[in-house]
Amino acid sequence: MTLTDERITAERLEELLSDDSIGMAHRVLWLLLWEGELRVLDLLSLEIGDVDLEEKRVTGVCGRAVPEGGGGISERAAGLLRRLIGDRKDGPLLAVGNRALGWEQVMLAAGEQGHAVHEFRAGGRLHRREEPAPDSE
């Protein structure tokens, strides 16, 4: 079985993102996995300074610059990140308080919802592939 055999649907993602009983850091992680190509461990390594919320993009991962035109995040993800970061100026991006999310926490939170964390990225990839191409009018 490949990772793409198990995936989150767009409808299920919406249910999870709107569930306020789930920690904001987990919901942001799931959305970023769904929307982009960054891996779980790369996202968990991000610091606040690695993201430009005005430009809506990740600028660096693990000390490496993200090439111009890459690392884009949606307005929705940027808004959730603003809420998550609050008044923090530095430190881990995906955190509860000032404490970074860890792999074990991430796996447990997804598992509590009946999913493996990798299903979010796999589901997003398939969803983007299945979306109709924009009209070329």
Side-chain angles (χ1 to χ4, degrees), residues 26 44 101-110:
H26 294 285
L44 293 178
L101 281 183
W103 179 254
E104 213 170 288
Q105 290 173 293
V106 166
M107 297 299 289
L108 182 62

